[in-house]
């Protein structure tokens, strides 16, 4: 039986996640690891403190960039990271990738229909930094446990 992928999840430190769920920031940025398409769900997993899925958004659009300066220029105040934080992320990222490997492009995800769940849902397994896909059955289970 083939299960349909309906969304993705990525770990985000809770203090950054609140900018999306409570402060109305609509642009999520990270190095590209998964293939995202408009219409998919992005389910927000809080890493570090209060771990679990806290909410979701619908992916409106996905773009790829090679420099953070281009992202900052285009999205400014819509970004969930400040320009200073995004530049720091880029500097730290440069330390992570191994020699000889081309760095992944930056993935910029424009969000819509953002909603916070009434209850935090703990995943059954660890969510790696690279994120992972969410299939239909798991998504339905998340919504049920979240009280949506």
């Amino acid at each position: 039986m083939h299960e349909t992928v309906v969304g993705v999840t990525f770990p985000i430190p809770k203090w950054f996640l609140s900018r999306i769920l409570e402060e109305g920031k609509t642009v999520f940025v990270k190095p590209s690891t998964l293939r995202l398409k408009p219409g998919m769900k992005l389910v927000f997993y809080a890493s570090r403190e209060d771990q679990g899925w806290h909410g979701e958004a619908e992916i409106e659009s996905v773009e790829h960039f090679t420099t953070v300066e281009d992202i900052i220029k285009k999205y400014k105040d819509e970004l969930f990271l400040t320009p200073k934080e995004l530049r720091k992320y880029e500097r730290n990222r440069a330390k992570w990738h191994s020699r000889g490997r081309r760095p992944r492009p930056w993935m910029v995800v424009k969000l819509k229909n953002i909603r916070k769940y009434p209850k935090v849902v703990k995943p059954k397994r660890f969510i790696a930094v690279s994120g992972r896909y969410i299939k239909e059955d798991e998504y339905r289970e998340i919504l049920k446990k979240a009280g949506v």
Side-chain angles (χ1 to χ4, degrees):
M1 190 172 107
H2 179 71
E3 240 194 302
T4 309
V5 170
V6 295
V8 294
T9 186
F10 297 105
I12 305 167
K14 189 171 181 222
W15 56 90
F16 290 142
L17 186 54
S18 66
R19 294 177 186 176
I20 295 169
L21 294 174
E22 289 151 27
E23 296 172 29
K25 298 296 182 178
T26 58
V27 178
F28 175 68
V29 180
K30 80 173 295 318
S32 183
T33 52
L34 301 175
R35 295 182 195 274
L36 309 188
K37 294 185 288 203
M40 289 175 94
K41 299 288 182 189
L42 174 50
V43 182
F44 301 113
Y45 176 78
S47 62
R48 303 180 193 181
E49 63 183 71
D50 204 10
Q51 293 181 352
W53 285 304
H54 284 246
E56 67 177 56
E58 186 179 333
I59 296 171
E60 186 176 314
S61 64
V62 181
E63 289 180 87
H64 292 90
F65 290 80
T66 52
T67 73
V68 294
E69 294 308 318
D70 289 342
I71 297 168
I72 292 165
K73 202 180 302 171
K74 182 167 183 179
Y75 289 103
K76 298 176 190 79
D77 295 338
E78 295 175 80
L79 292 166
F80 85 109
L81 296 173
T82 65
K84 184 179 177 182
E85 290 164 344
L86 188 53
R87 289 180 185 111
K88 183 180 178 191
Y89 189 4
E90 182 176 45
R91 282 193 306 276
N92 289 342
R93 178 180 170 222
K95 297 175 198 169
W96 303 331
H97 43 80
S98 49
R99 280 176 285 156
R101 286 192 52 213
R102 180 175 65 82
R104 294 179 184 274
W106 287 94
M107 177 174 63
V108 178
V109 183
K110 182 94 167 105
L111 306 168
K112 65 180 183 179
N113 302 325
I114 297 167
R115 69 174 169 172
K116 188 175 179 176
Y117 294 155
K119 286 188 264 180
V120 175
V121 178
K122 302 283 183 207
K124 289 178 181 162
R125 57 193 175 107
F126 176 75
I127 310 294
V129 173
S130 57
R132 71 172 170 82
Y133 293 107
I134 293 180
K135 295 188 175 166
E136 214 167 348
D137 283 355
E138 183 180 23
Y139 179 64
R140 277 198 299 268
E141 194 177 313
I142 291 168
L143 293 181
K144 189 173 148 189
K145 287 181 177 175
V148 177

